[in-house]
Each structure stands twice: as structure tokens, then as C-alpha cells.
């Protein structure tokens, strides 16, 4: 149904629109939009609810799950990165619904432990400090690509 008031304002109810073109502002309160494709969106503020994924079809992607959404693995809110084999390779979040139990997990995919975690600080052109945590060789410190100190894994 639709109603046009004496000032020419149009009110529409229960509308189905195909190939709709809009311009100007769109305002709404407590609206729900489902299965929407948006391009070049700028959000000045907002709250994210549910789960966000950079790809719904699997493979390489990043997912963000809101803090009060429990995962099937007992996690509470998370940021996850998946490789092109659909294996979780980075997982950041809270365990067991406890905001005081943050965790970071990095794997090489296929459920195996990552062999190297690298942290680098480039201090200038050709200058860098780097720390490697390696499951085979242990903890290693590099300066400008040269090993300076190491602690064995075993």
C-alpha cells in the first residue's frame, strides 16, 4: 500500500523493488538489510554484530567475530586468517569467554605448528633488527641480517 499526504509526501509499505535507483540520503531507524552488496562504503561510526568475513566461499580470507559470539571451539570473539586451503593460520581472541584470557595462535596450516615467527623493526635504509622464534632453532636475534645471539629450542 502507499499513501500520499496533502504535502505530497509518499509513504510506502511492503514494497518489492527490482532495479531501483536512488539518489540523495537514505534514512532509517532499526532497519534490517539482508543479502546486500555494497561498493565504496564509508561508515563514520557503528557497531559490528555477528561475524564478518572477507570471503563467504572459503579459501584465503580474514574473519572477525563479535565479542559475545562463541565459536564451536570455545572461543569468545576472534580475528582469524585462513589460507587458500581453508586452514586457519592466525587466530587472535579470548578463550572460554574470559576477556582476561587473550590468545594468539599462529600455525602453518594443515594443523601443524608454524616453524618461524618473525618480528622486524627497520630502523633506516638497510638497517633492521629482527627476532625469530623458530620451533627448530629456538630464539634468534639478528641485526642487519646478521645473527647476533641465539637460544636453542631444546
Amino acid at each position: 500500500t502507499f499513501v500520499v499526504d496533502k504535502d505530497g509526501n509518499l509513504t510506502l509499505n511492503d514494497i518489492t523493488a527490482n532495479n531501483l535507483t536512488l539518489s540523495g540520503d537514505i534514512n532509517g531507524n532499526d532497519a534490517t538489510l539482508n543479502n546486500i552488496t555494497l561498493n565504496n562504503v564509508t561508515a563514520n561510526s557503528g557497531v559490528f554484530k555477528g561475524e564478518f568475513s572477507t570471503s563467504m566461499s572459503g579459501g584465503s580470507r580474514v574473519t572477525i567475530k563479535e565479542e559475545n559470539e562463541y565459536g564451536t571451539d570455545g572461543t569468545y570473539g576472534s580475528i582469524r586468517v585462513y589460507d587458500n586451503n581453508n586452514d586457519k593460520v592466525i587466530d587472535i581472541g579470548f578463550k572460554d569467554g574470559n576477556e582476561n584470557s587473550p590468545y594468539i595462535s599462529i600455525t602453518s596450516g594443515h594443523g601443524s605448528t608454524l616453524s618461524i615467527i618473525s618480528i622486524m623493526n627497520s630502523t633506516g635504509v638497510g638497517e633492521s633488527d629482527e627476532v625469530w622464534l623458530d620451533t627448530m632453532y629456538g630464539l634468534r636475534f639478528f641485526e642487519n641480517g646478521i645473527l647476533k645471539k641465539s637460544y636453542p629450542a631444546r
Side-chain angles (χ1 to χ4, degrees):
T1 61
F2 69 93
V3 175
V4 179
D5 68 16
K6 64 181 169 94
D7 296 323
N9 297 311
L10 176 64
T11 300
L12 302 170
N13 296 305
D14 299 319
I15 302 302
T16 299
N18 295 310
N19 301 318
L20 176 65
T21 301
L22 299 171
S23 63
D25 294 333
I26 298 173
N27 298 302
N29 293 317
D30 298 321
T32 299
L33 303 174
N34 294 309
N35 300 318
I36 303 294
T37 299
L38 303 171
N39 295 309
N40 300 318
V41 174
T42 299
N44 295 325
S45 64
V47 175
F48 172 77
K49 294 187 176 271
E51 184 172 338
F52 169 82
S53 180
T54 58
S55 172
M56 296 309 291
S57 61
S60 298
R61 68 190 183 283
V62 176
T63 64
I64 301 173
K65 190 183 311 177
E66 73 175 299
E67 68 183 26
N68 62 359
E69 287 289 317
Y70 282 95
T72 57
D73 56 1
T75 59
Y76 182 75
S78 64
I79 298 173
R80 293 182 173 161
V81 177
Y82 295 84
D83 65 14
N84 61 354
N85 293 317
N86 207 34
D87 292 317
K88 182 173 48 177
V89 294
I90 300 174
D91 192 4
I92 303 170
F94 299 95
K95 282 287 189 190
D96 302 322
N98 184 347
E99 62 189 30
N100 295 318
S101 296
Y103 69 92
I104 299 173
S105 171
I106 303 173
T107 61
S108 62
H110 304 296
S112 61
T113 304
L114 181 69
S115 59
I116 297 175
I117 296 173
S118 172
I119 302 169
M120 184 192 316
N121 178 29
S122 294
T123 56
V125 176
E127 297 180 10
S128 66
D129 295 319
E130 194 166 3
V131 177
W132 288 13
L133 179 57
D134 186 316
T135 56
M136 184 177 289
Y137 298 107
L139 181 62
R140 298 187 290 171
F141 295 88
F142 296 85
E143 183 179 318
N144 301 325
I146 299 170
L147 179 65
K148 295 295 184 174
K149 194 160 195 157
S150 67
Y151 300 91
R154 294 178 170 73

